[in-house]
Amino acid sequence: MDANAESANSEKMLKPACSISSFLSTATTQVGTLSDPPVKDEHQDQKPLEADSKKCWRELEVKNMLLSGDEKSISRLREFRLYNDAYAQMEGLQPFSSQKERLVFPQSWDWRFSQSLLEGPEATAAKLAKQSIRRFSQIPFEELVRRACGLPSQGIDDFLREYEFLKVHVYSAFTRNIEHLELLDQLKGCLNEIDADPFVCTAIERVCQGVVSQRKPHVPLTEEKSENMKPELDERLQWIIDPLQRLLQSPDTAQNVLRQLKILKIRFSKLYRSPEGSPEATWGVFSTDTLFFEQIQWSDVSDLAMALSRKDQDVFSQCLVNTFYAKDRHARRALNARWNCLSIAVEECMVAEVDISRKVDHLAQELYRVRNYYSLTAIVQGIKASGLPTKALRNFGYLINSEHNYQRYQLLMKHMNTRPGIHFLVPALSTAVRGNLELADMA
Protein backbone atom coordinates (compact mmCIF):
# COMPACT_ATOMS: atom_id res chain seq x y z
CA MET A 1 0.00 0.00 0.00
CA ASP A 2 1.49 3.41 -0.97
CA ALA A 3 1.68 6.40 1.36
CA ASN A 4 -1.09 8.33 -0.35
CA ALA A 5 -3.52 5.45 -0.05
CA GLU A 6 -2.59 4.92 3.60
CA SER A 7 -3.08 8.62 4.30
CA ALA A 8 -6.50 8.54 2.66
CA ASN A 9 -7.57 5.53 4.71
CA SER A 10 -6.38 7.23 7.88
CA GLU A 11 -8.51 10.23 7.07
CA LYS A 12 -11.55 7.99 6.53
CA MET A 13 -10.98 6.31 9.90
CA LEU A 14 -10.51 9.61 11.67
CA LYS A 15 -13.75 11.14 10.41
CA PRO A 16 -16.03 9.13 12.69
CA ALA A 17 -13.73 9.81 15.61
CA CYS A 18 -13.85 13.48 14.87
CA SER A 19 -17.64 13.33 14.67
CA ILE A 20 -17.91 11.62 18.08
CA SER A 21 -15.43 14.07 19.55
CA SER A 22 -17.42 16.93 18.13
CA PHE A 23 -20.67 15.49 19.62
CA LEU A 24 -19.05 15.06 23.02
CA SER A 25 -17.71 18.57 22.88
CA THR A 26 -21.10 19.95 21.91
CA ALA A 27 -22.89 17.97 24.58
CA THR A 28 -20.43 19.09 27.24
CA THR A 29 -20.74 22.69 26.15
CA GLN A 30 -24.56 22.67 26.16
CA VAL A 31 -25.48 20.62 29.21
CA GLY A 32 -22.29 20.09 31.21
CA THR A 33 -21.16 16.46 31.33
CA LEU A 34 -22.96 13.34 30.11
CA SER A 35 -23.34 12.14 33.67
CA ASP A 36 -25.69 15.05 34.32
CA PRO A 37 -29.20 14.49 32.93
CA PRO A 38 -30.43 17.19 30.59
CA VAL A 39 -32.78 19.70 32.16
CA LYS A 40 -36.28 19.21 30.79
CA ASP A 41 -38.93 21.78 30.42
CA GLU A 42 -41.50 21.19 33.18
CA HIS A 43 -44.22 20.63 30.59
CA GLN A 44 -42.13 18.35 28.36
CA ASP A 45 -43.46 14.79 28.02
CA GLN A 46 -46.16 15.52 30.59
CA LYS A 47 -48.83 12.82 30.42
CA PRO A 48 -52.45 13.82 30.39
CA LEU A 49 -54.40 13.07 33.55
CA GLU A 50 -56.41 10.39 31.76
CA ALA A 51 -53.26 8.38 31.03
CA ASP A 52 -52.39 8.16 34.72
CA SER A 53 -55.79 6.89 35.77
CA LYS A 54 -57.10 3.35 35.54
CA LYS A 55 -58.22 2.56 32.01
CA CYS A 56 -60.12 -0.67 32.41
CA TRP A 57 -60.69 -3.39 34.97
CA ARG A 58 -58.87 -6.63 34.03
CA GLU A 59 -57.94 -5.22 30.66
CA LEU A 60 -56.57 -8.46 29.19
CA GLU A 61 -59.65 -10.48 30.12
CA VAL A 62 -61.93 -7.73 28.84
CA LYS A 63 -59.99 -7.71 25.56
CA ASN A 64 -60.60 -11.45 25.22
CA MET A 65 -64.33 -10.88 25.89
CA LEU A 66 -64.47 -8.35 23.09
CA LEU A 67 -62.54 -10.56 20.68
CA SER A 68 -64.65 -13.64 21.44
CA GLY A 69 -67.93 -11.74 21.17
CA ASP A 70 -69.11 -12.72 24.67
CA GLU A 71 -72.20 -10.53 24.46
CA LYS A 72 -73.60 -11.29 27.92
CA SER A 73 -70.34 -10.49 29.68
CA ILE A 74 -69.82 -7.38 27.54
CA SER A 75 -73.33 -6.23 28.41
CA ARG A 76 -72.59 -6.65 32.13
CA LEU A 77 -69.27 -4.83 31.70
CA ARG A 78 -71.12 -1.92 30.07
CA GLU A 79 -73.70 -1.96 32.85
CA PHE A 80 -71.03 -1.45 35.52
CA ARG A 81 -68.85 0.75 33.24
CA LEU A 82 -65.59 -0.70 34.49
CA TYR A 83 -63.52 1.43 32.12
CA ASN A 84 -62.80 5.09 31.49
CA ASP A 85 -63.82 7.20 28.50
CA ALA A 86 -60.50 6.78 26.71
CA TYR A 87 -60.78 2.99 26.82
CA ALA A 88 -64.43 3.16 25.76
CA GLN A 89 -63.54 5.19 22.68
CA MET A 90 -60.62 2.93 21.84
CA GLU A 91 -62.71 -0.26 22.01
CA GLY A 92 -65.97 1.14 20.66
CA LEU A 93 -67.80 1.00 23.99
CA GLN A 94 -70.19 3.72 25.04
CA PRO A 95 -68.27 6.33 27.08
CA PHE A 96 -69.15 6.61 30.73
CA SER A 97 -69.74 10.35 30.70
CA SER A 98 -72.49 10.08 28.10
CA GLN A 99 -74.34 7.30 29.90
CA LYS A 100 -75.17 8.89 33.23
CA GLU A 101 -76.26 12.33 34.24
CA ARG A 102 -75.26 13.73 37.60
CA LEU A 103 -77.40 12.62 40.51
CA VAL A 104 -80.16 14.95 41.63
CA PHE A 105 -80.48 15.36 45.39
CA PRO A 106 -83.04 17.39 47.34
CA GLN A 107 -82.22 21.08 47.07
CA SER A 108 -81.25 21.57 50.70
CA TRP A 109 -81.31 19.91 54.09
CA ASP A 110 -84.51 20.53 56.02
CA TRP A 111 -82.85 21.64 59.24
CA ARG A 112 -83.16 24.86 61.21
CA PHE A 113 -81.62 25.69 64.56
CA SER A 114 -84.80 27.19 66.00
CA GLN A 115 -86.80 24.14 64.98
CA SER A 116 -84.25 21.83 66.64
CA LEU A 117 -84.65 23.75 69.89
CA LEU A 118 -88.41 23.23 69.77
CA GLU A 119 -88.43 19.59 68.63
CA GLY A 120 -85.50 18.34 70.69
CA PRO A 121 -82.56 16.10 69.74
CA GLU A 122 -84.50 12.85 69.22
CA ALA A 123 -86.95 14.25 66.67
CA THR A 124 -84.16 16.19 64.95
CA ALA A 125 -81.99 13.07 64.71
CA ALA A 126 -84.85 11.06 63.20
CA LYS A 127 -85.51 13.78 60.63
CA LEU A 128 -81.86 14.08 59.61
CA ALA A 129 -81.47 10.30 59.38
CA LYS A 130 -84.51 10.07 57.13
CA GLN A 131 -83.18 12.77 54.81
CA SER A 132 -79.78 11.11 54.74
CA ILE A 133 -81.06 7.67 53.74
CA ARG A 134 -83.05 9.31 50.95
CA ARG A 135 -79.84 10.80 49.63
CA PHE A 136 -77.96 7.52 49.87
CA SER A 137 -80.80 5.73 48.06
CA GLN A 138 -80.02 7.87 45.00
CA ILE A 139 -76.61 6.24 44.50
CA PRO A 140 -76.68 3.46 41.90
CA PHE A 141 -74.77 0.32 42.83
CA GLU A 142 -72.73 0.74 39.65
CA GLU A 143 -71.20 3.94 41.04
CA LEU A 144 -69.94 2.09 44.12
CA VAL A 145 -68.46 -0.65 41.95
CA ARG A 146 -66.63 1.95 39.86
CA ARG A 147 -65.20 3.57 42.98
CA ALA A 148 -64.12 0.15 44.29
CA CYS A 149 -62.38 -0.46 40.97
CA GLY A 150 -60.44 2.79 41.29
CA LEU A 151 -62.42 4.60 38.60
CA PRO A 152 -63.95 8.06 39.12
CA SER A 153 -67.55 8.41 40.24
CA GLN A 154 -69.16 11.82 39.95
CA GLY A 155 -72.28 10.52 41.70
CA ILE A 156 -70.40 9.56 44.85
CA ASP A 157 -68.49 12.84 44.84
CA ASP A 158 -71.79 14.72 44.62
CA PHE A 159 -73.25 12.59 47.41
CA LEU A 160 -70.37 13.25 49.80
CA ARG A 161 -70.51 16.95 48.99
CA GLU A 162 -74.06 17.01 50.36
CA TYR A 163 -72.68 16.33 53.83
CA GLU A 164 -70.17 19.13 53.49
CA PHE A 165 -73.13 21.46 52.97
CA LEU A 166 -74.83 20.02 56.06
CA LYS A 167 -71.68 20.46 58.15
CA VAL A 168 -71.32 24.11 57.16
CA HIS A 169 -75.01 24.79 57.82
CA VAL A 170 -75.08 23.22 61.30
CA TYR A 171 -71.65 24.54 62.27
CA SER A 172 -72.60 28.10 61.35
CA ALA A 173 -75.77 27.93 63.47
CA PHE A 174 -74.13 26.50 66.59
CA THR A 175 -71.09 28.78 66.54
CA ARG A 176 -73.55 31.67 66.73
CA ASN A 177 -75.43 29.91 69.54
CA ILE A 178 -72.61 28.16 71.33
CA GLU A 179 -74.47 28.22 74.64
CA HIS A 180 -76.62 25.41 73.18
CA LEU A 181 -73.66 23.10 72.63
CA GLU A 182 -75.33 20.48 74.82
CA LEU A 183 -78.13 20.16 72.24
CA LEU A 184 -75.57 19.39 69.54
CA ASP A 185 -73.93 16.75 71.72
CA GLN A 186 -77.34 15.19 72.42
CA LEU A 187 -78.12 15.19 68.70
CA LYS A 188 -74.91 13.28 68.02
CA GLY A 189 -75.83 10.74 70.70
CA CYS A 190 -79.36 10.27 69.36
CA LEU A 191 -78.08 9.59 65.85
CA ASN A 192 -75.83 6.86 67.21
CA GLU A 193 -78.66 5.39 69.29
CA ILE A 194 -80.99 5.01 66.31
CA ASP A 195 -78.16 3.48 64.26
CA ALA A 196 -78.31 6.23 61.66
CA ASP A 197 -76.12 5.92 58.59
CA PRO A 198 -72.41 6.72 58.97
CA PHE A 199 -72.58 9.74 56.68
CA VAL A 200 -74.89 11.91 58.77
CA CYS A 201 -73.34 10.60 62.01
CA THR A 202 -69.85 11.58 60.89
CA ALA A 203 -71.01 14.99 59.65
CA ILE A 204 -72.57 15.89 63.01
CA GLU A 205 -69.58 14.52 64.89
CA ARG A 206 -67.27 16.74 62.86
CA VAL A 207 -69.50 19.72 63.64
CA CYS A 208 -69.23 18.91 67.35
CA GLN A 209 -65.46 18.88 67.15
CA GLY A 210 -65.39 22.17 65.26
CA VAL A 211 -67.79 23.96 67.58
CA VAL A 212 -66.00 22.71 70.71
CA SER A 213 -62.74 24.10 69.36
CA GLN A 214 -64.43 27.51 69.08
CA ARG A 215 -66.09 27.32 72.51
CA LYS A 216 -66.35 30.26 74.86
CA PRO A 217 -64.71 30.06 78.30
CA HIS A 218 -67.97 29.39 80.15
CA VAL A 219 -68.90 26.40 77.97
CA PRO A 220 -67.64 23.12 79.47
CA LEU A 221 -65.55 20.94 77.17
CA THR A 222 -66.58 17.35 76.68
CA GLU A 223 -63.35 15.50 76.01
CA GLU A 224 -63.22 13.44 72.85
CA LYS A 225 -60.85 10.49 72.71
CA SER A 226 -59.02 10.26 69.42
CA GLU A 227 -59.34 6.48 69.24
CA ASN A 228 -63.13 6.86 69.11
CA MET A 229 -63.10 9.33 66.25
CA LYS A 230 -64.71 8.14 63.04
CA PRO A 231 -62.86 8.47 59.73
CA GLU A 232 -63.66 11.21 57.27
CA LEU A 233 -66.79 11.00 55.16
CA ASP A 234 -65.26 9.32 52.12
CA GLU A 235 -63.87 6.59 54.36
CA ARG A 236 -67.37 5.95 55.64
CA LEU A 237 -68.00 4.13 52.36
CA GLN A 238 -65.44 1.47 53.20
CA TRP A 239 -68.12 -0.84 54.65
CA ILE A 240 -69.13 -1.50 51.04
CA ILE A 241 -66.06 -0.44 49.03
CA ASP A 242 -63.67 -2.87 50.75
CA PRO A 243 -65.79 -6.01 50.12
CA LEU A 244 -66.33 -4.97 46.50
CA GLN A 245 -62.60 -4.43 46.03
CA ARG A 246 -61.90 -7.92 47.32
CA LEU A 247 -64.41 -9.35 44.86
CA LEU A 248 -63.02 -7.37 41.92
CA GLN A 249 -59.50 -8.57 42.79
CA SER A 250 -60.49 -12.19 43.42
CA PRO A 251 -58.85 -14.96 41.34
CA ASP A 252 -62.22 -15.84 39.81
CA THR A 253 -62.74 -15.18 36.10
CA ALA A 254 -63.94 -11.77 34.96
CA GLN A 255 -67.12 -13.32 33.56
CA ASN A 256 -67.95 -14.92 36.88
CA VAL A 257 -67.20 -11.78 38.88
CA LEU A 258 -69.55 -9.83 36.61
CA ARG A 259 -72.29 -12.37 37.31
CA GLN A 260 -71.72 -11.98 41.04
CA LEU A 261 -71.90 -8.20 40.71
CA LYS A 262 -75.30 -8.59 39.06
CA ILE A 263 -76.49 -10.62 42.04
CA LEU A 264 -75.09 -8.09 44.50
CA LYS A 265 -76.80 -5.27 42.62
CA ILE A 266 -80.16 -6.92 43.35
CA ARG A 267 -79.19 -7.31 47.01
CA PHE A 268 -78.07 -3.70 47.31
CA SER A 269 -81.21 -2.37 45.64
CA LYS A 270 -83.51 -4.24 48.02
CA LEU A 271 -81.60 -3.05 51.07
CA TYR A 272 -80.65 0.53 50.29
CA ARG A 273 -82.41 1.95 47.26
CA SER A 274 -85.80 2.39 48.89
CA PRO A 275 -86.28 6.10 49.73
CA GLU A 276 -87.54 5.14 53.19
CA GLY A 277 -84.85 2.53 53.73
CA SER A 278 -85.29 -1.18 54.35
CA PRO A 279 -85.67 -2.52 57.90
CA GLU A 280 -83.04 -5.13 56.99
CA ALA A 281 -80.52 -2.48 55.95
CA THR A 282 -77.48 -2.27 58.19
CA TRP A 283 -74.31 -0.23 58.07
CA GLY A 284 -71.99 -3.09 58.87
CA VAL A 285 -69.81 -4.79 56.25
CA PHE A 286 -71.78 -5.37 53.04
CA SER A 287 -72.05 -9.09 52.35
CA THR A 288 -70.70 -10.20 48.97
CA ASP A 289 -71.43 -13.85 49.74
CA THR A 290 -72.90 -15.61 46.70
CA LEU A 291 -72.47 -19.17 47.97
CA PHE A 292 -75.67 -20.56 46.45
CA PHE A 293 -74.75 -19.21 43.02
CA GLU A 294 -71.29 -20.73 43.24
CA GLN A 295 -72.62 -24.07 44.48
CA ILE A 296 -75.26 -24.47 41.80
CA GLN A 297 -72.91 -23.26 39.09
CA TRP A 298 -70.03 -25.62 39.83
CA SER A 299 -71.63 -28.59 41.64
CA ASP A 300 -73.49 -31.57 40.27
CA VAL A 301 -77.14 -30.76 40.92
CA SER A 302 -77.97 -34.17 42.38
CA ASP A 303 -74.99 -33.94 44.71
CA LEU A 304 -76.04 -30.45 45.75
CA ALA A 305 -79.56 -31.67 46.57
CA MET A 306 -78.13 -34.40 48.78
CA ALA A 307 -75.71 -31.98 50.48
CA LEU A 308 -78.52 -29.52 51.21
CA SER A 309 -80.68 -32.33 52.58
CA ARG A 310 -77.96 -33.63 54.88
CA LYS A 311 -77.41 -30.16 56.30
CA ASP A 312 -81.15 -29.55 56.63
CA GLN A 313 -81.54 -32.84 58.45
CA ASP A 314 -78.79 -31.86 60.91
CA VAL A 315 -80.45 -28.51 61.61
CA PHE A 316 -83.88 -30.13 62.01
CA SER A 317 -82.57 -32.81 64.35
CA GLN A 318 -81.10 -30.11 66.60
CA CYS A 319 -84.14 -27.82 66.58
CA LEU A 320 -87.13 -30.08 65.96
CA VAL A 321 -88.15 -30.98 69.50
CA ASN A 322 -87.75 -27.44 70.80
CA THR A 323 -89.53 -25.96 67.80
CA PHE A 324 -92.68 -28.08 67.92
CA TYR A 325 -92.98 -29.16 71.53
CA ALA A 326 -91.16 -26.62 73.69
CA LYS A 327 -92.12 -23.77 71.34
CA ASP A 328 -88.57 -22.44 71.53
CA ARG A 329 -88.38 -19.17 69.60
CA HIS A 330 -84.63 -19.45 69.08
CA ALA A 331 -85.04 -22.85 67.43
CA ARG A 332 -87.79 -21.52 65.18
CA ARG A 333 -85.67 -18.54 64.23
CA ALA A 334 -82.79 -20.83 63.28
CA LEU A 335 -85.01 -22.89 60.98
CA ASN A 336 -86.71 -19.82 59.53
CA ALA A 337 -83.40 -18.04 58.96
CA ARG A 338 -81.96 -20.95 56.98
CA TRP A 339 -85.12 -21.20 54.87
CA ASN A 340 -85.20 -17.44 54.23
CA CYS A 341 -81.51 -17.30 53.27
CA LEU A 342 -82.00 -19.96 50.60
CA SER A 343 -85.16 -18.32 49.31
CA ILE A 344 -83.50 -14.89 49.04
CA ALA A 345 -80.43 -16.36 47.34
CA VAL A 346 -82.61 -18.02 44.70
CA GLU A 347 -84.57 -14.80 44.15
CA GLU A 348 -81.37 -12.77 43.70
CA CYS A 349 -79.96 -15.24 41.18
CA MET A 350 -83.19 -15.41 39.19
CA VAL A 351 -83.67 -11.64 39.01
CA ALA A 352 -80.00 -11.11 38.13
CA GLU A 353 -80.37 -13.51 35.16
CA VAL A 354 -77.03 -15.22 35.65
CA ASP A 355 -77.84 -18.24 33.48
CA ILE A 356 -78.79 -20.78 36.17
CA SER A 357 -82.60 -21.02 35.84
CA ARG A 358 -82.47 -24.51 34.31
CA LYS A 359 -80.22 -25.73 37.10
CA VAL A 360 -82.60 -24.26 39.68
CA ASP A 361 -85.47 -26.19 38.07
CA HIS A 362 -83.36 -29.34 38.15
CA LEU A 363 -82.45 -28.78 41.81
CA ALA A 364 -86.12 -28.38 42.72
CA GLN A 365 -86.92 -31.70 41.02
CA GLU A 366 -84.09 -33.45 42.88
CA LEU A 367 -85.23 -32.07 46.24
CA TYR A 368 -88.75 -33.32 45.54
CA ARG A 369 -87.32 -36.74 44.70
CA VAL A 370 -85.46 -36.98 48.04
CA ARG A 371 -88.52 -35.54 49.88
CA ASN A 372 -86.78 -32.43 51.17
CA TYR A 373 -89.81 -30.13 51.23
CA TYR A 374 -88.02 -27.66 53.49
CA SER A 375 -85.46 -26.53 50.89
CA LEU A 376 -87.80 -27.23 47.98
CA THR A 377 -90.39 -24.74 49.22
CA ALA A 378 -87.65 -22.17 49.91
CA ILE A 379 -86.53 -22.44 46.29
CA VAL A 380 -90.10 -22.23 44.99
CA GLN A 381 -90.72 -19.15 47.12
CA GLY A 382 -87.55 -17.53 45.75
CA ILE A 383 -88.63 -18.21 42.17
CA LYS A 384 -92.09 -16.82 42.89
CA ALA A 385 -90.63 -13.65 44.43
CA SER A 386 -88.49 -13.12 41.33
CA GLY A 387 -91.62 -12.96 39.17
CA LEU A 388 -90.19 -15.39 36.62
CA PRO A 389 -92.44 -18.30 35.58
CA THR A 390 -90.28 -21.42 35.56
CA LYS A 391 -90.92 -25.14 35.32
CA ALA A 392 -90.28 -25.57 39.05
CA LEU A 393 -92.85 -22.92 39.92
CA ARG A 394 -95.45 -24.55 37.66
CA ASN A 395 -94.78 -28.00 39.09
CA PHE A 396 -94.41 -27.18 42.78
CA GLY A 397 -95.98 -23.77 43.29
CA TYR A 398 -99.02 -25.36 44.95
CA LEU A 399 -96.83 -26.43 47.90
CA ILE A 400 -96.58 -22.84 49.13
CA ASN A 401 -100.22 -21.99 48.50
CA SER A 402 -101.40 -20.77 51.91
CA GLU A 403 -105.13 -21.13 51.23
CA HIS A 404 -106.98 -23.02 53.95
CA ASN A 405 -103.84 -23.38 56.02
CA TYR A 406 -101.77 -24.95 53.22
CA GLN A 407 -104.47 -27.51 52.59
CA ARG A 408 -102.94 -28.82 49.36
CA TYR A 409 -99.60 -29.44 51.04
CA GLN A 410 -101.24 -31.25 53.95
CA LEU A 411 -103.28 -33.41 51.58
CA LEU A 412 -100.10 -34.36 49.74
CA MET A 413 -98.48 -35.44 53.00
CA LYS A 414 -101.46 -37.60 53.96
CA HIS A 415 -101.41 -39.44 50.65
CA MET A 416 -97.68 -40.08 50.60
CA ASN A 417 -96.82 -43.76 50.74
CA THR A 418 -93.62 -43.00 52.59
CA ARG A 419 -92.93 -40.43 55.28
CA PRO A 420 -91.42 -37.19 54.04
CA GLY A 421 -87.78 -36.62 54.72
CA ILE A 422 -87.84 -32.98 55.81
CA HIS A 423 -90.98 -30.89 56.23
CA PHE A 424 -92.08 -27.50 54.97
CA LEU A 425 -91.89 -25.69 58.29
CA VAL A 426 -94.75 -23.17 57.96
CA PRO A 427 -97.76 -25.54 57.73
CA ALA A 428 -96.19 -27.92 60.23
CA LEU A 429 -95.87 -25.09 62.75
CA SER A 430 -99.33 -23.70 62.09
CA THR A 431 -100.97 -27.07 62.70
CA ALA A 432 -98.81 -27.71 65.77
CA VAL A 433 -99.89 -24.38 67.28
CA ARG A 434 -103.50 -25.60 67.12
CA GLY A 435 -102.55 -28.82 68.88
CA ASN A 436 -102.29 -31.08 65.83
CA LEU A 437 -98.78 -32.56 65.94
CA GLU A 438 -99.34 -34.99 63.08
CA LEU A 439 -97.14 -33.11 60.63
CA ALA A 440 -94.57 -32.45 63.32
CA ASP A 441 -94.30 -36.17 64.03
CA MET A 442 -93.87 -36.88 60.32
CA ALA A 443 -90.93 -34.51 60.00
Side-chain angles (χ1 to χ4, degrees), residues 175-411:
T175 50
R176 294 195 305 270
N177 300 274
I178 202 165
E179 66 275 11
H180 293 287
L181 179 59
E182 184 180 0
L183 173 63
L184 181 60
D185 191 62
Q186 291 172 344
L187 174 59
K188 181 182 73 171
C190 289
L191 285 168
N192 290 325
E193 286 177 9
I194 64 175
D195 195 26
D197 65 80
F199 313 106
V200 69
C201 286
T202 303
I204 297 303
E205 185 168 350
R206 290 291 179 264
V207 171
C208 283
Q209 295 169 10
V211 174
V212 165
S213 69
Q214 299 295 325
R215 71 192 186 284
K216 294 181 179 179
H218 69 276
V219 179
L221 170 63
T222 303
E223 292 187 2
E224 299 280 358
K225 296 183 179 180
S226 59
E227 60 266 24
N228 293 329
M229 298 298 185
K230 293 183 179 179
E232 291 297 335
L233 284 177
D234 55 347
E235 295 180 5
R236 289 293 78 202
L237 283 165
Q238 296 311 109
W239 59 275
I240 188 167
I241 296 297
D242 283 350
L244 290 176
Q245 283 180 337
R246 287 192 290 271
L247 175 60
L248 290 166
Q249 296 167 7
S250 70
D252 211 343
T253 65
Q255 288 90 337
N256 216 41
V257 171
L258 288 169
R259 291 188 187 100
Q260 292 175 74
L261 287 174
K262 284 282 290 183
I263 294 170
L264 297 178
K265 179 181 176 180
I266 304 303
R267 183 177 303 169
F268 178 84
S269 296
K270 288 187 68 175
L271 289 175
Y272 300 104
R273 298 222 66 195
S274 166
E276 302 301 323
S278 167
E280 289 81 25
T282 64
W283 303 103
V285 177
F286 180 70
S287 173
T288 56
D289 173 34
T290 55
L291 180 61
F292 174 75
F293 165 72
E294 294 167 38
Q295 287 176 331
I296 199 167
Q297 185 180 27
W298 303 116
S299 303
D300 177 81
V301 173
S302 298
D303 291 344
L304 178 58
M306 292 304 299
L308 275 174
S309 299
R310 284 193 295 270
K311 182 63 177 177
D312 291 343
Q313 188 64 55
D314 289 343
V315 175
F316 258 75
S317 64
Q318 295 171 18
C319 302
L320 187 61
V321 173
N322 290 336
T323 298
F324 289 109
Y325 296 99
K327 299 181 181 179
D328 186 339
R329 291 185 178 181
H330 295 291
R332 292 185 186 183
R333 287 192 190 120
L335 290 171
N336 280 329
R338 180 170 171 80
W339 191 91
N340 285 331
C341 283
L342 178 56
S343 177
I344 291 170
V346 171
E347 179 188 355
E348 289 175 345
C349 289
M350 298 299 292
V351 176
E353 297 181 343
V354 287
D355 314 318
I356 62 167
S357 59
R358 289 186 179 180
K359 283 195 168 186
V360 171
D361 283 342
H362 186 189
L363 178 60
Q365 187 64 49
E366 287 297 305
L367 290 170
Y368 181 79
R369 183 180 64 82
V370 299
R371 302 188 301 279
N372 182 351
Y373 300 102
Y374 175 75
S375 284
L376 170 59
T377 51
I379 288 174
V380 173
Q381 177 59 40
I383 297 172
K384 182 180 179 182
S386 74
L388 300 174
T390 69
K391 182 179 178 181
L393 185 61
R394 291 192 297 271
N395 290 346
F396 306 117
Y398 70 93
L399 294 175
I400 60 172
N401 186 336
S402 61
E403 289 183 359
H404 307 295
N405 192 30
Y406 297 91
Q407 183 180 39
R408 295 188 66 183
Y409 177 83
Q410 296 189 53
L411 288 173

